[in-house]
Each structure stands twice: as C-alpha cells, then as structure tokens.
Amino acid sequence: MKVEIIKCLQDNYSYLIINEKNNYACVVDPSEAAPIIDFINKKNIKLKYILNTHHHYDHVGGNNDLKKKYKAKVVGFKDDKHRIPNIDILVEHNQKWEEESFESKIIHIPGHTTGHICFYFQKEKIAFTGDTLFSLGCGRIFEGTYKQMYNSLNKLKNLPIDTKIYCGHEYTLSNYLFCSKYDRNNKNLNKKIFEITAKLKKNLPTIPSTIGEESACNIFLRAKNLKEFSKLRDLKDNF
Ligand code: ZN
Ligand code: FE
C-alpha cells in the first residue's frame, strides 16, 4: 500500500491510498476533482472509494465528479449522512471498514465538527486526521466543545508512536510559529524548523508527521489538562 499526496485548492491535501498490486485506490478528502483525475489518469489508477473525514466543502468538493466518473463509493460518518454529498457507506466509531484489500479502523474524533472521523489503517500504521490533528497544530473548534477536541486529540495521541499522520492542510509553518512562541525551550520543536523550511523551499509537503513527533513537538498534544488546552486553543484563534 502506498500513499500519494495531492495538493488541492490553496493549502489542502488529498491523499490516494494505492494498492500497488492491482492499482485499486481510495482517495481521502478530495477537495476538488481535477487534480485527482489528473493523477489517476497519469498513473492508470482505479479509484474505488472516497473517504471523507468530515463534511466541510474543502474535504468533499470532489465527491460528486469522482463518483460519477469512476463509480467510486463514498464512505463517511453515519451521523453526517445528510451533509456528506453522495454518501454511500455509513461508518461509525470503532468500526472496522473493510473493502477489497483496504482495512481501516474508524475513530470518531469530534471537536472541529461533531461528525469528524479518523481513518486509521492499523496494518500500514497510517492515520488520516483531517482537520483535527495537524502537524504542530489542531483544528479550530467549530461545532464541538473544548472537551471533545481535547479527548479526540488524546485518542490520536494514544496510537502507536510510529503511526504516520496525514492531515488535511499544509499549516505546519504557521503552527510552528505558534508552538515556538509558547513552548520556547522545547528542543525537539526547535529542531523542526530546519526540516520544515527545507521542505517548503523545495515546494514539498511537510506531511506526513508521526504520533511520536507530534507528542514531542505539538503544543496541543503537550497540554497537561483541559484547561491548559482550552487556553492554547483560544490563543491560537487570535494568533
Ligand atoms: Zn474542516
Ligand atoms: Fe479543511
């Protein structure tokens, strides 16, 4: 299984999970169809499933066109069935979604939206965290509570430390600036800037990160309790 990163819109990432044996693929959070179609055509990929972490337009914008063109099936959280366009397969927390050779655990991680989920491919040790966990940051709390977001991040933090994290946006540099302002003496964090700028200079994604790196560097995962987390989230909203 191989993951390809596809840049969409301004700063979104969509991902193709490809079984290299038969070229069957899932796309995670297609913001728009065109860049996905482009990649699929070039590499002769057969798109089978569209996995949505949440209903925001920059994560589902390509659903309709991709479904039409490839007859791919849309997988999303059951409580969001009325707001994830073209949804076919409803999944719920703790369920294992299995189709073809794809096998993902569903982890409900509300906070950014009430229906946000993570697709966790346990065997491959990769997790698609949408707009909940970013590299060095976390999503804004739009629909949920601070407590929900804090608990959701803790669920992700408990995944094995070598789990690769694929998130919804390239926000790493601005997240770094926030982390370094409030976590000045974090040596692990301070080292990250060289890696981040080197990648961005070459126009490469800073993704994937890992749970281990995020636990060491991401100020939101390092918050000791809900109160500290909430304060940081407020500060970040006005950063
Ligand atoms: Zn979102
Ligand atoms: Fe988003």
Side-chain angles (χ1 to χ4, degrees), residues 12 53-59 112-113 116 130-132 134 139-140 142 169 171:
N12 274 83
T53 62
H54 65 297
H55 74 284
H56 284 159
Y57 81 96
D58 60 317
H59 298 257
H112 179 68
T113 67
H116 200 304
D131 287 356
T132 298
F134 295 123
R140 269 177 200 268
F142 282 125
H169 293 266
Y171 288 161

Side-chain angles (χ1 to χ4, degrees), residues 133-138 171-190 192-193 196 213-223 232 235-236 239:
L133 175 62
F134 295 123
S135 183
L136 302 183
C138 75
Y171 288 161
T172 313
L173 180 59
S174 66
N175 287 341
Y176 170 85
L177 297 175
F178 178 79
C179 284
S180 71
K181 180 169 178 187
Y182 295 100
D183 196 7
R184 224 172 257 282
N185 299 319
N186 183 338
K187 287 196 187 105
N188 292 312
L189 173 68
N190 293 340
K192 283 278 260 191
I193 189 63
I196 295 167
E213 282 171 63
E214 293 308 313
S215 297
C217 302
N218 185 328
I219 199 166
F220 295 99
L221 291 190
R222 286 165 57 76
L232 287 166
L235 286 167
K236 182 68 166 61
F239 182 65

Side-chain angles (χ1 to χ4, degrees), residues 3-239:
V3 179
E4 291 283 354
I5 305 178
I6 298 175
K7 291 187 185 192
C8 291
L9 305 175
Q10 195 77 356
D11 50 32
N12 274 83
Y13 286 132
S14 298
Y15 302 101
L16 276 170
I17 312 159
I18 305 161
N19 177 350
E20 289 165 291
K21 282 185 193 134
N22 53 15
N23 263 357
Y24 285 6
C26 303
V27 65
V28 180
D29 286 353
S31 318
E32 48 180 343
I36 317 283
I37 292 172
D38 205 46
F39 191 96
I40 284 176
N41 286 348
K42 261 189 232 154
K43 303 274 163 114
N44 203 17
I45 282 158
K46 300 167 191 89
L47 186 69
K48 295 287 178 185
Y49 297 96
I50 299 166
L51 315 181
N52 293 137
T53 62
H54 65 297
H55 74 284
H56 284 159
Y57 81 96
D58 60 317
H59 298 257
V60 302
N63 278 17
N64 188 34
D65 289 353
L66 291 172
K67 183 172 170 173
K68 247 197 236 157
K69 197 169 165 74
Y70 302 106
K71 297 188 177 62
K73 293 222 157 69
V74 176
V75 183
F77 189 57
K78 64 173 186 355
D79 293 353
D80 275 346
K81 65 179 176 203
H82 297 299
R83 55 183 191 176
I84 290 179
N86 309 87
I87 194 163
D88 298 294
I89 298 168
L90 309 181
V91 292
E92 58 189 325
H93 178 57
N94 256 334
Q95 173 192 339
K96 197 184 261 178
W97 172 76
E98 243 175 309
E99 215 64 70
E100 302 289 350
S101 51
F102 305 110
E103 198 181 306
S104 171
K105 198 178 151 189
I106 308 301
I107 310 172
H108 184 213
I109 43 172
H112 179 68
T113 67
T114 51
H116 200 304
I117 55 175
C118 164
F119 290 90
Y120 171 44
F121 288 70
Q122 201 159 2
K123 260 195 249 158
E124 289 83 6
K125 296 192 169 179
I126 54 181
F128 297 91
T129 57
D131 287 356
T132 298
L133 175 62
F134 295 123
S135 183
L136 302 183
C138 75
R140 269 177 200 268
I141 298 167
F142 282 125
E143 297 179 350
T145 62
Y146 290 92
K147 191 166 182 214
Q148 279 178 326
M149 188 55 138
Y150 181 66
N151 291 342
S152 294
L153 291 172
N154 276 326
K155 283 185 202 169
L156 297 174
K157 194 178 165 181
N158 283 328
L159 296 176
I161 56 165
D162 54 347
T163 307
K164 287 199 178 103
I165 297 303
Y166 290 90
C167 59
H169 293 266
E170 181 58 69
Y171 288 161
T172 313
L173 180 59
S174 66
N175 287 341
Y176 170 85
L177 297 175
F178 178 79
C179 284
S180 71
K181 180 169 178 187
Y182 295 100
D183 196 7
R184 224 172 257 282
N185 299 319
N186 183 338
K187 287 196 187 105
N188 292 312
L189 173 68
N190 293 340
K191 276 190 277 183
K192 283 278 260 191
I193 189 63
F194 302 107
E195 190 190 314
I196 295 167
T197 47
K199 282 182 178 159
L200 293 178
K201 223 186 247 170
K202 287 189 236 164
N203 205 18
L204 293 173
T206 60
I207 306 308
S209 181
T210 64
I211 287 296
E213 282 171 63
E214 293 308 313
S215 297
C217 302
N218 185 328
I219 199 166
F220 295 99
L221 291 190
R222 286 165 57 76
K224 281 174 206 73
N225 50 46
L226 175 60
K227 202 178 151 203
E228 196 181 305
F229 168 77
S230 307
K231 199 180 143 198
L232 287 166
R233 193 51 262 177
D234 283 343
L235 286 167
K236 182 68 166 61
D237 283 344
N238 300 299
F239 182 65

